[in-house]
Amino acid sequence: MSQPRKPNPARRSERSRQAVLDAARDLVSELGYAKVSIEAIAARAGVGKQTIYRWWPSKGAVIFDSFLALSESEEGMSLPDTGDLEADLKIVMRATVAEFADPAFEAPIRALNTEIIGDPALAAQYREKLAGPVDEAKKERLRSAQRAGQLAADADLDLVLEVLYAPLYQRWLHRSGPLTPQYADALVEITLRAFAP
Amino acid sequence: MSQPRKPNPARRSERSRQAVLDAARDLVSELGYAKVSIEAIAARAGVGKQTIYRWWPSKGAVIFDSFLALSESEEGMSLPDTGDLEADLKIVMRATVAEFADPAFEAPIRALNTEIIGDPALAAQYREKLAGPVDEAKKERLRSAQRAGQLAADADLDLVLEVLYAPLYQRWLHRSGPLTPQYADALVEITLRAFAP
């Protein structure tokens, strides 16, 4: 006689949590942040509203976690290091520009950025959990270039990353110019010239 | 016998319009964009809601115009041109950094930026009416520097302005680092190095 299978609350709970995160991300991409409600996330995930409020205090918090879940799968990220800084950065920047030019990718990132601007606590969380680790991986590559004499040894690496990425970020946010591979290359060339040894 | 003074509808209308714009800007600074309503603007300006809707289709439109009214008083703006590009840009960038570090100034600009991110039409209007004319004044100064051999003659001036301003913009928007005179100077030095003749 087979044992009746016992429900496993921990596993069911993790499945619900994952469904909520997937639903939050999908809905933000489809509708934009402003039109997404906790009710809609609950309905899409097939859970009750109270299930969401048990784990997250607000819509912003669920959506932030849904992005965090994405980047956690990239754990241990690192940049290519072929020894040629310019070539390596151009690969990375062309990929970044392509992502920001892709409507499916950029919609949720735009929603997150809108939240961050108005919410200093969320901005701090974003820096600590998302931007910080990614920036650290980039700096690791820049330090390797400094050791190889391809970048000024005294360069402020936070400033290097700002000069490399902020123009793209602003152009994307304001839709003020084309996001092309040529633009990615130009940013790399300008940055390396600015911080040449 | 003195003539009874006739009401002047055009003048009264302009006074109401100005009161609405002042109220919109003040309320955004005090409360933040999200908490400002058409009702609150009308009450503060001492006009009826219908008066606002007669001139503007939405809250975003009133607030945008209230910013435009500010910059119109700077008509014919130009950058200092002492012949020393680095010194002139440092004056301008130190003033810009100080503005963004000032809570009273930055609050309405932050509200406007939040709107622009989610509204491509408003972003286009912002570029055409606000950012565009200001950028043109900056480019005029850069062209003068190109003629004087202080900046590469073939430099893409849109890219020069992005490298100069976007790092500050991103740092301010994400509150990701200090906004100091030293930072202003560093951005000028880096940009001039990147686009040296």
Side-chain angles (χ1 to χ4, degrees), chain B:
Chain B
M1 200 177 92
S2 69
Q3 292 268 1
R5 214 187 285 176
K6 276 191 286 186
N8 180 332
R11 193 185 306 146
R12 200 175 57 195
S13 173
E14 176 52 31
R15 256 204 317 266
S16 296
R17 197 178 155 276
Q18 199 53 57
V20 168
L21 294 177
D22 291 348
R25 209 164 41 232
D26 288 353
L27 285 169
V28 167
S29 302
E30 291 167 23
L31 305 175
Y33 182 90
K35 289 187 185 152
V36 175
S37 62
I38 292 276
E39 286 79 2
I41 297 173
R44 173 76 63 105
V47 304
K49 253 175 74 171
Q50 286 317 311
T51 301
I52 297 187
Y53 281 122
R54 197 184 317 145
W55 288 315
W56 294 280
S58 65
K59 177 176 103 170
V62 187
I63 290 175
F64 182 80
D65 264 8
S66 77
F67 283 94
L68 196 59
L70 264 190
S71 80
E72 271 167 0
S73 59
E74 298 173 32
E75 216 174 350
M77 75 160 278
S78 66
L79 265 59
D81 191 349
T82 65
D84 181 341
L85 180 63
E86 182 169 337
D88 291 348
L89 287 182
K90 282 183 175 174
I91 289 169
V92 172
M93 288 301 286
R94 279 173 174 239
T96 305
V97 166
E99 281 178 345
F100 280 108
D102 174 357
F105 177 89
E106 73 99 46
I109 306 290
R110 187 173 292 276
L112 181 64
N113 272 276
T114 305
E115 284 311 293
I116 282 172
I117 294 173
D119 185 340
L122 192 65
Q125 216 184 348
Y126 170 80
R127 270 201 310 288
E128 189 202 333
K129 298 193 178 171
L130 270 173
V134 173
D135 281 354
E136 191 42 49
K138 293 171 186 165
K139 285 183 193 172
E140 213 28 63
R141 178 65 189 90
L142 296 178
R143 281 186 208 108
S144 160
Q146 285 178 312
R147 287 189 296 271
Q150 295 175 345
L151 197 69
D154 63 349
D156 172 343
L157 298 187
D158 285 310
L159 190 57
V160 176
L161 290 182
E162 285 181 335
V163 171
L164 189 57
Y165 283 90
L168 161 62
Y169 177 72
Q170 179 184 275
R171 187 177 274 214
W172 163 70
L173 215 54
H174 284 192
R175 302 177 168 91
S176 54
L179 302 178
T180 61
Q182 291 71 36
Y183 184 58
D185 289 355
L187 290 177
V188 172
E189 288 161 19
I190 280 302
T191 302
L192 293 188
R193 194 162 182 218
F195 297 96

Side-chain angles (χ1 to χ4, degrees), chain A residues 110 113-114 116-117 120 123 127 159 162-163 166-167 169-171 173-176 183 187 190 193-196, chain B residues 110 113-114 117 120 123 127 159 162-163 166-167 169-171 173-176 183 187 190 193-196:
Chain A
R110 188 172 291 275
N113 272 276
T114 306
I116 282 172
I117 293 173
R127 270 202 310 287
L159 189 57
E162 284 180 336
V163 171
Y169 176 73
Q170 179 183 276
R171 186 177 276 214
L173 215 54
H174 285 192
R175 302 176 168 93
S176 55
Y183 184 59
L187 289 177
I190 281 302
R193 195 163 180 219
F195 297 97
Chain B
R110 187 173 292 276
N113 272 276
T114 305
I117 294 173
R127 270 201 310 288
L159 190 57
E162 285 181 335
V163 171
Y169 177 72
Q170 179 184 275
R171 187 177 274 214
L173 215 54
H174 284 192
R175 302 177 168 91
S176 54
Y183 184 58
L187 290 177
I190 280 302
R193 194 162 182 218
F195 297 96

